[in-house]
Amino acid sequence: MPIKVQKELPAKAILERENIFMMDEDRAMSQDIRPLEILIVNLMPVKEEAETQLLRALSNTPLQVDCTFLMLESHTSKNTSASHLNKFYVYFDEVKRKKFDGMIITGAPVENMEFEEVNYWEELKKIMEWSKTYVTSTFHICWGAQAGLYYHYQIPKYKRKDKLSGVYCHKVLDRKVPLVRSLDDYVMAPHSRYTEVRREDIEKHQELKILAESKEAGILLVMSLDGKHIFIQGHPEYDRMTLHGEYHRDLDKGLNPDIPCNYYENDNPDTLPVLNWRNGANTLYGNWLNFYVYQMTPYILDENGEKI
């Protein structure tokens, strides 16, 4: 799939080296194709890394996708330069009158805080409320999934005794649902979190369906029956080396982290991590774009970006 990106976005060069079909604005304008408009609320601290991972995950369908990155006015990023944000990101006020085919809300390193303690919680609530009208389907990742379940369904998160870090095997529970079509019976996915949502709380809501879970890692994938909300507690978009970087970051901080489970050969952190979740991640994101965005959204947009 050709992903339309701004010419100088750093992720563009990285993905082109991986032979992923990227398209800049000039090329896209020459094609008589209406791309899917995807808004990405990037809450990750290292935004360039998250950009690359998400664009890679969205690159495996024949659909053309135009991604808009959103930053929050109520939070100042400490790990991404102001010049990068000013060049490639927009504020909510700039897009709130426009409708989007899909939206992604990423994870964020704030899970040990109560939602109401997060300095951008009120702004994020405003965006999630806005999405009910202006977005066809929203894909929530990790803390973003917990935040979405809490806001839309009042489902709480719980602190785990220890951090969950590693790559875990999850059983797919209902293969007839289009979101998990073509996935194997069991799928691998990375996790990196201190908190969790629990099955018993989700089961209280008949409008939600659990689609994949693990004995060790718990719930992986939940969706609303109307397809407007997809919640994934893991990080299928992670690169091979992302957990490796997090592990060594925590080592450098003196946190004495456990070695990520099922990640290194023989649990040896000096070896190259095993990459065994990419195909499942590509299928999952492709199914979301196809079945819950492309096939559900109106085709025609007016000159202001409004759906007709």
Side-chain angles (χ1 to χ4, degrees):
M1 171 194 67
I3 299 180
K4 178 185 170 186
V5 296
Q6 292 167 276
K7 288 182 178 180
E8 298 178 24
L9 186 74
K12 183 174 185 290
I14 296 171
L15 295 175
E16 283 178 335
R17 288 197 295 270
E18 297 179 15
N19 206 30
I20 289 176
F21 185 10
M22 309 297 292
M23 180 181 295
D24 61 34
E25 302 99 322
D26 295 340
R27 173 84 181 277
M29 289 176 64
S30 70
Q31 295 193 331
D32 188 19
I33 297 173
R34 205 281 271 176
L36 295 178
E37 298 284 347
I38 306 296
L39 182 66
I40 299 178
V41 184
N42 188 358
L43 306 175
M44 294 294 278
V46 184
K47 300 200 183 302
E48 294 98 323
E49 182 177 293
E51 292 159 10
T52 302
Q53 292 172 359
L54 289 170
L55 290 174
R56 182 188 292 115
L58 295 170
S59 69
N60 289 278
T61 84
L63 306 169
Q64 187 184 126
V65 175
D66 186 355
C67 293
T68 300
F69 290 97
L70 186 142
M71 57 183 170
L72 301 179
E73 290 188 78
S74 49
H75 178 75
T76 301
S77 178
K78 299 177 182 178
N79 299 285
T80 303
S81 70
S83 62
H84 181 89
L85 294 173
N86 292 334
K87 189 170 187 176
F88 299 114
Y89 281 69
V90 298
Y91 287 117
F92 179 56
D93 279 349
E94 299 175 61
V95 297
K96 66 182 182 181
R97 293 177 179 82
K98 178 179 178 181
K99 291 191 175 182
F100 286 86
D101 303 302
M103 180 169 74
I104 296 173
I105 300 176
T106 73
V110 294
E111 56 191 303
N112 283 324
M113 303 170 64
E114 297 298 329
F115 292 114
E116 292 81 4
E117 295 174 350
V118 176
N119 64 359
Y120 50 78
W121 179 243
E122 290 301 318
E123 184 176 4
L124 186 59
K125 284 200 308 180
K126 186 187 301 184
I127 293 169
M128 289 190 288
E129 184 63 28
W130 165 88
S131 74
K132 294 178 181 180
T133 302
Y134 286 83
V135 178
T136 301
S137 180
T138 300
F139 198 104
H140 308 70
I141 302 172
C142 199
W143 181 84
Q146 296 176 354
L149 286 167
Y150 180 69
Y151 178 73
H152 293 293
Y153 301 99
Q154 297 76 53
I155 292 174
K157 62 181 173 69
Y158 301 88
K159 287 190 177 181
R160 295 175 51 88
K161 181 180 178 181
D162 301 302
K163 182 181 181 180
L164 184 72
S165 177
V167 182
Y168 296 88
C169 183
H170 309 80
K171 184 177 181 179
V172 176
L173 301 179
D174 188 346
R175 298 177 55 79
K176 295 180 181 179
V177 176
L179 184 63
V180 295
R181 188 173 294 175
S182 300
L183 287 177
D184 294 329
D185 290 340
Y186 290 86
V187 294
M188 306 298 290
H191 289 264
S192 178
R193 52 187 167 85
Y194 291 92
T195 57
E196 63 185 6
V197 294
R198 295 177 179 170
R199 167 179 269 274
E200 56 265 30
D201 293 321
I202 296 170
E203 288 180 330
K204 295 175 184 176
H205 297 267
Q206 295 184 349
E207 63 271 44
L208 294 177
K209 189 175 186 65
I210 299 171
L211 293 177
E213 65 180 341
S214 160
K215 291 181 180 179
E216 298 81 12
I219 298 294
L220 175 68
L221 185 61
V222 179
M223 67 169 284
S224 61
L225 296 181
D226 61 6
K228 276 193 71 70
H229 298 288
I230 313 296
F231 307 96
I232 187 158
Q233 274 204 109
H235 281 284
E237 79 285 356
Y238 266 11
D239 291 337
R240 179 197 299 268
M241 303 302 292
T242 306
L243 288 177
H244 176 84
E246 293 181 356
Y247 170 68
H248 283 278
R249 176 201 64 198
D250 290 348
L251 276 178
D252 293 341
K253 290 181 178 179
L255 299 178
N256 193 30
D258 292 334
I259 294 173
C261 291
N262 311 314
Y263 185 52
Y264 298 108
E265 291 275 6
N266 302 315
D267 287 334
N268 180 358
D270 293 326
T271 62
L272 185 69
V274 176
L275 178 62
N276 57 8
W277 63 89
R278 178 67 58 76
N279 285 341
N282 290 345
T283 300
L284 180 64
Y285 276 94
N287 285 348
W288 173 62
L289 284 175
N290 181 26
F291 296 113
Y292 299 94
V293 181
Y294 174 67
Q295 295 195 29
M296 300 297 292
T297 194
Y299 175 75
I300 300 174
L301 298 178
D302 70 13
E303 61 183 6
N304 296 315
E306 296 289 340
K307 294 174 184 175
I308 299 176

